Amino acid sequence: LEHATVDETMEKLKRLYGGFNFEGQEELLNPNSVLKVFSRMDHEQHWPDEMTLKLVLPVMQRTGFFVPALEGFVTSTEILLSADNNDECVPRLFQSGFLSIKKDNIDRTRMGFDQFCTLGYTNEEMLYTLLERLAELYLPIYVPTEPLIITYRACDKLKEGNLAEALAKISEILASIPYEKLPPERPYRCEKNQYYRTGLYLIFRRLCERFYTNTKVICEKESIDVIIERGEHVYIFAFLFLKESTPAEGLAHLKEKEYAKAFANSKLTQHLVGVAFDAKKRNIGKYVEELVDGGAKGGAKGGE
């Protein structure tokens, strides 16, 4: 903070503490967080609403809310202003500032409540606070910090180019999820269970980013695609959740999406990895890895 320029400081403040938008017209900074930044001279998480989290997060877990849906969540103004239903997580997250309007589709010349907008995480302070608390709740391994420690080890294995051991670490986290944690009101169908998709999303979307990895998570209809850069490697994953899916279909999916094109001129070793979720084991199943070097295929290998 001391050595940053004014423009760099403003850009970081907006990214960390800005983005508050409740009417779709203007984005505001959180004054409380900004004051604490200059008072303490650090960029910490200064203003999470812990009371809202204590009320909302257990409901999200109990109802099997699909957490990745919070990015780009489309809803109506009527729902956002509602506080009658205790199971309505999104309005509470919006009203407490964790979510804000990112795309405004509201026609202000019309009266009524049947108008829609697109929500997203307000800023990095709110995003990281929310996802870290969710990871502690959804991934209860031994102690709250244990998933973070295991993820750190997995990231180290990715940096070494050791995919098998990295996936084994991620499997260790997923294996910690007890059956009774799954939403009880749904018939148990592990291959489509949003709880496990949410678990993988939390591992890659937040826990990996704690270790300065460049990570991108794309949630498809029946898969979670992950692009993660670590050291001299970039891994492009497709985690498939349909019962009949195979790792080879995951590779085909990644090639169809052409994610690797973004790294065509990169010196990073590129790994395409198709992973099938095992419904019986309730965990990562078989996988296949294909290396790409300057657009040329390397050898393919697999495991489980």
Side-chain angles (χ1 to χ4, degrees), residues 150-168:
I150 296 174
T151 304
Y152 172 77
R153 293 170 180 159
C155 288
D156 265 4
K157 294 301 178 183
L158 291 176
K159 186 176 181 179
E160 295 170 5
N162 192 333
L163 175 65
E165 289 197 30
L167 288 177

Side-chain angles (χ1 to χ4, degrees), residues 124-223:
E124 290 185 5
E125 178 183 40
M126 306 306 267
L127 161 67
Y128 295 156
T129 300
L130 179 60
L131 295 190
E132 283 177 7
R133 299 296 189 279
L134 282 166
E136 292 171 4
L137 191 65
Y138 274 72
L139 307 170
I141 187 162
Y142 303 116
V143 294
T145 57
E146 193 70 14
L148 189 63
I149 294 169
I150 296 174
T151 304
Y152 172 77
R153 293 170 180 159
C155 288
D156 265 4
K157 294 301 178 183
L158 291 176
K159 186 176 181 179
E160 295 170 5
N162 192 333
L163 175 65
E165 289 197 30
L167 288 177
K169 294 297 180 185
I170 295 169
S171 295
E172 186 179 346
I173 298 175
L174 295 179
S176 74
I177 300 174
Y179 184 87
E180 57 270 19
K181 285 283 185 181
L182 301 174
E185 69 273 16
R186 297 185 179 188
Y188 181 66
R189 296 182 65 187
C190 184
E191 71 277 11
K192 294 183 179 179
N193 196 291
Q194 293 182 345
Y195 197 106
Y196 286 92
R197 294 180 68 193
T198 292
L200 280 172
Y201 170 81
L202 292 171
I203 289 169
F204 288 107
R205 182 68 172 89
R206 178 49 187 146
L207 297 185
C208 284
E209 289 188 1
R210 286 287 298 269
F211 310 115
Y212 303 100
T213 58
N214 188 2
T215 307
K216 183 176 182 181
V217 182
I218 306 105
C219 292
E220 295 287 319
K221 186 177 180 181
E222 296 295 347
S223 74

Side-chain angles (χ1 to χ4, degrees), residues 1 28 38 63 236 283 303:
L1 187 61
L28 305 174
F38 289 105
T63 59
I236 306 175
N283 211 319

Side-chain angles (χ1 to χ4, degrees), residues 25-82:
Q25 294 177 305
E26 184 178 7
E27 293 192 352
L28 305 174
L29 288 164
N30 182 337
N32 183 64
S33 294
V34 173
L35 288 173
K36 287 184 177 179
V37 167
F38 289 105
S39 173
R40 303 176 183 178
M41 298 302 289
D42 63 40
H43 293 101
E44 297 297 327
Q45 298 167 8
H46 296 297
W47 188 79
D49 185 348
E50 294 290 348
M51 184 56 67
T52 294
L53 294 178
K54 288 179 181 179
L55 292 172
V56 172
L57 300 195
V59 176
M60 295 178 73
Q61 183 190 36
R62 174 170 55 81
T63 59
F65 187 89
F66 188 44
V67 174
L70 292 176
E71 300 193 64
F73 192 93
V74 178
T75 187
S76 71
T77 52
E78 181 178 16
I79 291 176
L80 286 182
L81 298 175
S82 170

